[in-house]
Amino acid sequence: MVNIDIPRNYTFSPSDGTPHLTINREALIDLDSSNAFEGPEKLLEIWFNASPKSLDSSVAPLGLKVVPAGVWKEMLDIVNCRVLSVVESDHVDAYLLSESSMFVFPHKLILKTCGTTTLLSGVPRMLEIAALSAGFPHRKGDPLKGTATAAIPYRVFYSRKNFLHPEKQHGPHRSWRDEVRYLDRHFIGGSAYMVGKMNGEHWYLYLTGPGTALTPPASPVLDKSEELETRTKLLEVPIMNNTVATELGIDDAQDETLEILMTDLDPENAKQFYLENASAVAEGWFAEKSRPARFVYPGGLLTMREGGIDGLTLKANGKKGVCGNYKGEIDVFSNTSSENSELGSSDDEEYLPKEFSTEGHGLGTVVSDSCGLSDVYPKSRYPDARVDAYLFTPCGFSANGVIPAPPGTKETSPTHYFTVHVTPEPHCSFASFETNVPGRQSGTETAEVVEQVVKIFRPGRFSVTLFEAKGIQATNGQAKPSSSWQKKEQTLQLSAAKRSARMEHLAGYRRIDRIVHDLDGYDLVFRYYERNDWKGGAPRLGEHYI
């Protein structure tokens, strides 16, 4: 039998209590992004409980985090992507994939894939893994779906931007209608939405309410024409609903997700994500140091300890960037392994190691630092944060960030994440940024995060979706809300109004669309922007609503 687990000797922890990294070197062989074409990702979240703090007694204490990496790898084979590396932490494991990312929490799974991956085809196996490996409540599986059992989810979310090349998709992803039908075959009570203009940039969403039920196994005699299909609701104008919030679980009530989807990247900014450019940045970095630092290789993994590079300027194509704090040894959290044991010869001859001239985690880290991504959630505030980045051949970039709560917060504060994926080719340029780091924790307004990210790519146009759970427990609709509840509600509404006003005026861009929708337990705000000097014409739809 073939052992599909990622070798454990690739694990190295920089310090106790902080996230640590595992690299799957086998998956890096012959990895090439030259055929990538579909940047917009498919995003799936399956929650099996409202909070990791209230797991059922039958569930493993660590929930989904007990599932071996090899089991997830087998599931990802169905989806058609591979594991490149893993950052493990107490609250979440972040998998960097050949096509985007996966995040495993004790109580939920987030999977985001691009290209022609068949993400939804992995749903039956995900439900089976949650039942068999983690012990979540389940029921008998469906032989027609090839599963022996299926865990019963708490909530399900699936979303994506309109595809540029829908005709090249496979499996259930050939159209939004096919995706909705597929999801309906697994879950009862789902709702489907299209947010945005039918003849412009738009975004699709499918979600279920709390207490999701699985669709019963299909009857062999059921005619396909009899299948009930969830209708897609078109949200094209601002919608405000004053329905009071429903009662949510602890983690659910604090859930917040920001997603920025960018197209038509500025060609100069997009150069940062080409291997040739990144290698030039690294070469300038090494040339500027009079005495190279020594590399350390524990367990076959190239790691560099104790902080970054202080005052060291990275230069390429006339652009500059600063990289970390130099303390004699270099902290590049996620580099590939190397046969070279030292940087530089005895006569201090300048030498650029292979990791900084070929695709991999080494150049990924250089790009993360030089483009400004590492500064979105800086080490000064998040000292235990870890960024796992990878640069592809000849271009393309992916990064996962694991962000433990900053010092001074409660010990029980959860670890959050961010993820970035870039397809820089001019004919299909696209970049995405997603995070669940709450604004109240970062001390940074949503608008500031958006501006900082957009500055890296300078897209011709982009959309922002913000999902926020309604965190205030509502009354039962009959009794009059208490004065303290009303005061808290008014304070939150005022704060939300100020944040919303700030989002209307992002430097260098004009807001074209704004749609607000009240979903079951969540507020969704969708905005679409175009650069003030953008002259690229109408959006490249690729996919029309069917």
Side-chain angles (χ1 to χ4, degrees), residues 225-242:
S225 63
E226 298 177 32
E227 293 183 7
L228 298 178
E229 177 184 342
T230 299
R231 290 189 57 192
T232 297
K233 303 169 186 178
L234 309 182
L235 308 182
E236 299 181 277
V237 295
I239 299 175
M240 296 298 294
N241 189 317
N242 295 321

Side-chain angles (χ1 to χ4, degrees), residues 352-399:
L352 186 67
K354 182 179 179 181
E355 284 72 21
F356 296 96
S357 59
T358 58
E359 77 163 69
H361 293 82
L363 281 181
T365 302
V366 170
V367 171
S368 178
D369 283 339
S370 62
C371 76
L373 178 61
S374 298
D375 296 328
V376 177
Y377 299 108
K379 283 278 190 178
S380 58
R381 180 167 177 79
Y382 298 94
D384 292 326
R386 290 291 181 264
V387 178
D388 178 18
Y390 193 97
L391 187 71
F392 296 89
T393 298
C395 61
F397 174 82
S398 289

Side-chain angles (χ1 to χ4, degrees), residues 433-496:
F433 174 90
E434 179 189 340
T435 183
N436 72 339
V437 178
R440 65 184 179 280
Q441 184 187 93
S442 67
T444 305
E445 287 190 15
T446 301
E448 294 178 77
V449 174
V450 173
E451 286 181 330
Q452 193 170 359
V453 171
V454 167
K455 185 178 180 181
I456 296 172
F457 303 98
R458 200 169 177 266
R461 39 193 158 214
F462 68 94
S463 64
V464 177
T465 55
L466 180 63
F467 253 111
E468 289 185 295
K470 299 180 175 74
I472 301 177
Q473 181 176 331
T475 66
N476 60 12
Q478 298 175 353
K480 183 178 180 180
S482 66
S483 59
S484 61
W485 188 93
Q486 289 178 322
K487 185 176 293 186
K488 190 173 183 179
E489 175 75 0
Q490 290 171 355
T491 300
L492 288 176
Q493 287 179 351
L494 180 60
S495 176

Side-chain angles (χ1 to χ4, degrees), residues 122-302:
V123 167
R125 182 63 179 135
M126 295 176 204
L127 300 179
E128 186 175 48
I129 290 171
L132 297 179
S133 298
F136 281 96
H138 55 277
R139 68 160 209 204
K140 186 177 180 181
D142 186 347
L144 296 178
K145 298 170 185 172
T147 56
T149 186
I152 301 171
Y154 169 70
R155 297 202 75 158
V156 177
F157 303 84
Y158 175 70
S159 64
R160 65 171 176 83
K161 182 184 177 296
N162 55 291
F163 288 137
L164 296 176
H165 302 276
E167 73 283 357
K168 295 185 179 181
Q169 293 296 321
H170 304 295
H173 298 287
R174 292 184 176 89
S175 73
W176 175 245
R177 178 169 290 177
D178 287 347
E179 290 172 315
V180 171
R181 285 173 175 165
Y182 187 88
L183 289 163
D184 281 346
R185 293 189 187 112
H186 290 85
F187 310 111
I188 295 175
S191 299
Y193 301 87
M194 190 190 84
V195 186
K197 296 179 179 179
M198 295 176 65
N199 60 345
E201 294 281 353
H202 52 271
W203 182 76
Y204 296 108
L205 169 68
Y206 181 98
L207 79 165
T208 66
T212 301
L214 296 174
T215 301
S219 168
V221 298
L222 177 66
D223 188 285
K224 286 192 175 183
S225 63
E226 298 177 32
E227 293 183 7
L228 298 178
E229 177 184 342
T230 299
R231 290 189 57 192
T232 297
K233 303 169 186 178
L234 309 182
L235 308 182
E236 299 181 277
V237 295
I239 299 175
M240 296 298 294
N241 189 317
N242 295 321
T243 303
V244 294
T246 56
E247 182 177 357
L248 301 171
I250 297 173
D251 202 68
D252 200 354
Q254 298 174 349
D255 189 33
E256 176 181 326
T257 302
L258 170 70
E259 187 176 38
I260 309 171
L261 305 178
M262 298 162 277
T263 58
D264 302 292
L265 310 183
D266 182 273
E268 286 300 312
N269 292 59
K271 286 180 181 179
Q272 299 174 95
F273 306 99
Y274 280 77
L275 190 146
E276 182 178 4
N277 186 89
S279 185
V281 170
E283 187 175 359
W285 167 36
F286 280 91
E288 200 163 311
K289 293 306 296 179
S290 59
R291 183 176 180 83
R294 183 171 59 86
F295 286 63
V296 184
Y297 300 88
L301 170 66
L302 176 62

